[in-house]
Structures are given as structure tokens and as C-alpha cells.
């Protein structure tokens, strides 16, 4: 593997070399910074001790946030679909009323 295909990231003061396509490098670095921040928040709270436990709690928190946002997007999409159906029904009704005149 060539150096250009790896990215070095730092998470909780540890260095990780990760294989990554060049066009995904910025996303990986951003994800690593986000994860590092979440893990530091958890570690700083003092409620969770040990890097493994901190990592699991960070993963659970991030996953919870992701699923919550996905659920909200699904609800928004469903609401939008319903609004479009309602508008189409109104258009159909208006066209029917117009053709009856």
C-alpha cells in the first residue's frame, strides 16, 4: 500500500493509519476529529473509565444521533409526500370542477 492511500488520524492521543481513497480523505479526517471530540467529551465527564468503554459509549451516542436524525428525515419525507398528495387531490378537484363548468 502506498503512502498516498493511507491517512493518519489521532483519536484519544493514539495514532491510526487507515487505508482510504484520496477522494474520501477529507471525510475520514472529519469523521476522526468528530469521534475524537465525542470520546474526549465522554472521558472528561469522568463517568466512563477506560478507552474501550469510552469508545463504545461514543459509538452508541453517535449511532443514537444518526438514527434519530434518520427517523426525523423519514418523518419529514412522509409528511412531504402527504402534502404533495393533498395538493394533487386539490388540483384534480379544481380541474374536475373547471371541466364541469
Amino acid at each position: 500500500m502506498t503512502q498516498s492511500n493511507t491517512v493518519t488520524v489521532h483519536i484519544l492521543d493514539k495514532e491510526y493509519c487507515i487505508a482510504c481513497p484520496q477522494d474520501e480523505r477529507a471525510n475520514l479526517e472529519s469523521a476522526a476529529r468528530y469521534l475524537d471530540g465525542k470520546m474526549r467529551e465522554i472521558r472528561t465527564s469522568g463517568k466512563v473509565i477506560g478507552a474501550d468503554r469510552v469508545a463504545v459509549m461514543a459509538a452508541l451516542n453517535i449511532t443514537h444521533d444518526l438514527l434519530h436524525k434518520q427517523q426525523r428525515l423519514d418523518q419529514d419525507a412522509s409528511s412531504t409526500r402527504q402534502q404533495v398528495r393533498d395538493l394533487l387531490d386539490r388540483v384534480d378537484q379544481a380541474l374536475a370542477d373547471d371541466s364541469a363548468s
Side-chain angles (χ1 to χ4, degrees), residues 56-92:
V56 168
M57 290 305 297
L60 285 171
N61 288 337
I62 292 168
T63 302
H64 174 267
D65 291 346
L66 174 68
L67 293 175
H68 180 73
K69 286 179 183 179
Q70 184 61 49
Q71 182 182 29
R72 197 167 61 237
L73 284 173
D74 290 346
Q75 289 171 346
D76 290 348
S78 178
S79 175
T80 301
R81 279 192 295 275
Q82 186 58 47
Q83 289 174 340
V84 169
R85 280 190 215 106
D86 291 345
L87 286 171
L88 287 173
D89 288 345
R90 290 174 60 189
V91 168
D92 287 344

Side-chain angles (χ1 to χ4, degrees), residues 21-71:
Q22 188 66 30
D23 60 337
E24 289 294 322
R25 184 181 190 110
N27 287 336
L28 175 61
E29 290 170 341
S30 178
R33 280 190 304 274
Y34 185 79
L35 177 59
D36 181 62
K38 287 294 185 182
M39 289 179 70
R40 287 179 186 281
E41 284 176 22
I42 291 167
R43 184 177 69 178
T44 301
S45 76
K47 296 178 183 175
V48 180
I49 298 175
D52 290 348
R53 289 177 185 251
V54 168
V56 168
M57 290 305 297
L60 285 171
N61 288 337
I62 292 168
T63 302
H64 174 267
D65 291 346
L66 174 68
L67 293 175
H68 180 73
K69 286 179 183 179
Q70 184 61 49
Q71 182 182 29

Side-chain angles (χ1 to χ4, degrees), residues 1 3 5-9 14-20 28:
M1 184 166 309
Q3 192 71 359
N5 291 337
T6 62
V7 176
T8 301
V9 297
K14 289 190 178 181
E15 189 174 279
Y16 299 90
C17 291
I18 301 169
C20 178
L28 175 61

